[in-house]
Amino acid sequence: RESEGAWGLTFALSSWKAAVMTMEEERGEGGVGGGEGEEVDAVSDREAQEVRPEAFPRKNFISSIELLHKSCGWRFDLRTVRQSCGVLLKSVKENENFVIDAITSEDSLVLTTLLEAIGFDGPPREPALNLIHRLIAGGLIIGESSSSFSSGAEGNHNNAGTLVDNVTKRVCDCGAASSEEVQLAVLKALLTICTSETFVVKGQTLMQAFKMIFNLGVGSNFELIRRSAIGSCQQLLSVMFRKAAADFAPDTFADSKAAASPGQLPLSGLEVDLITVLERLSRLGSVDA
């Protein structure tokens, strides 16, 4: 079990992205050609890709909501979550062609139900976290964090933050749970959040997610969680520094310096070298571990 958690958590997202890319390539092969009709088919394929029905099949969505509904039991405080699950199940089962629309605001019934479920310290929390994780990994929750958002006690409470800020904060709040299953679900969700290309975290929100992963790595009571969290930290550091080194590579540094706005200072050559060194150190740390 430890081997599955340590390796599976680290490479889960890569496997999912590879699977999605493979499906996109298979769909794209049918639209390649030289005639006008084939070009129209290619356009239709691209429009279908925007919906991404394969990212979360209907039957999997139904089973996930059913599991969440069952976990609510007959607890009085979970009646609203149970009722929302019932509404979702009814609407999905009555529509054979149901496809999950991309979620871009917290007005979505799906996201509202999941956020309410993870707010309770009980059985619904784990399935709700797993479903949030799968929706983000499938590119079905889309948004970008705000650079001015702060979730701390001294933060600006007038700034409610974006969808990404609020979802990330709610997931991080679940990291204090004492259940091993919930902590593992939090790790999977945060790793997906920090590396997603459609659910973009940055600034204080990114630091908040990374801090929770680090805290689980040093403070969890479960060996599996500690090992998995440490592996996740190493992976995230490597990914972050690799992206930074690519964005400010020496061959593109001159262009970035010339294109910098009057109020923005580009990185110096020393800073570019430092990013490269830190990226190498993070890679060596992952190998040594």
Side-chain angles (χ1 to χ4, degrees):
R1 184 181 179 186
E2 291 182 356
S3 177
E4 180 182 356
W7 287 97
L9 179 63
T10 306
F11 297 103
L13 184 59
S14 300
S15 300
W16 292 324
K17 286 185 178 179
V20 173
M21 292 176 62
T22 301
M23 289 186 291
E24 290 179 350
E25 292 175 357
E26 291 177 353
R27 291 199 307 270
E29 291 176 358
V32 177
E36 291 185 8
E38 293 176 341
E39 292 179 358
V40 172
D41 292 338
V43 173
S44 300
D45 289 341
R46 288 195 296 270
E47 293 175 351
Q49 289 178 21
E50 294 178 359
V51 181
R52 294 183 297 277
E54 296 85 351
F56 208 126
R58 174 177 175 271
K59 63 178 182 179
N60 293 351
F61 181 74
I62 292 177
S63 62
S64 298
I65 296 297
E66 287 178 340
L67 179 60
L68 179 59
H69 184 270
K70 182 179 179 181
S71 66
C72 292
W74 294 101
R75 286 179 50 174
F76 181 76
D77 56 341
L78 293 173
R79 67 188 185 281
T80 55
V81 178
R82 184 169 59 250
Q83 292 171 356
S84 298
C85 290
V87 173
L88 286 172
L89 287 173
K90 182 179 179 180
S91 62
V92 174
K93 291 181 177 180
E94 290 179 351
N95 184 5
E96 293 293 335
N97 298 321
F98 174 81
V99 175
I100 305 177
D101 295 328
I103 299 173
T104 57
S105 71
E106 295 183 58
D107 296 334
S108 167
L109 178 60
V110 176
L111 186 58
T112 301
T113 303
L114 296 178
L115 292 179
E116 185 176 3
I118 65 176
F120 292 97
D121 187 9
R125 178 172 281 183
E126 180 192 359
L129 284 169
N130 287 331
L131 187 50
I132 290 176
H133 153 66
R134 295 186 63 185
L135 289 173
I136 295 175
L140 293 172
I141 302 181
I142 301 174
E144 183 174 342
S145 62
S146 171
S147 58
S148 59
F149 175 72
S150 177
S151 59
E154 299 178 357
N156 182 6
H157 298 284
N158 294 327
N159 181 10
T162 65
L163 175 146
V164 173
D165 296 319
N166 296 329
V167 171
T168 304
K169 180 182 182 302
R170 299 290 293 275
V171 172
C172 288
D173 290 342
C174 299
S178 58
S179 169
E180 182 179 12
E181 290 76 14
V182 173
Q183 290 184 10
L184 185 59
V186 170
L187 272 180
K188 291 189 296 184
L190 290 180
L191 182 59
T192 303
I193 285 173
C194 292
T195 55
S196 174
E197 296 181 357
T198 55
F199 190 91
V200 183
V201 292
K202 58 184 179 181
Q204 292 299 320
T205 303
L206 176 60
M207 292 304 300
Q208 181 184 21
F210 187 84
K211 180 180 179 181
M212 176 52 63
I213 296 176
F214 179 83
N215 289 343
L216 288 173
V218 299
S220 176
N221 295 326
F222 306 100
E223 178 66 20
L224 170 63
I225 300 300
R226 291 197 299 269
R227 292 178 56 185
S228 300
I230 291 173
S232 299
C233 286
Q234 293 172 342
Q235 181 185 9
L236 288 177
L237 285 173
S238 180
V239 170
M240 292 175 187
F241 285 122
R242 190 178 297 115
K243 288 182 178 180
D247 291 340
F248 298 98
D251 55 347
T252 60
F253 174 71
D255 296 336
S256 65
K257 183 177 181 179
S261 60
Q264 179 183 5
L265 295 178
L267 292 182
S268 65
L270 179 60
E271 290 171 327
V272 173
D273 293 340
L274 178 59
I275 290 176
T276 305
V277 170
L278 290 175
E279 185 272 338
R280 295 296 178 89
L281 288 175
S282 64
R283 183 182 303 177
L284 290 175
S286 300
V287 173
D288 293 340

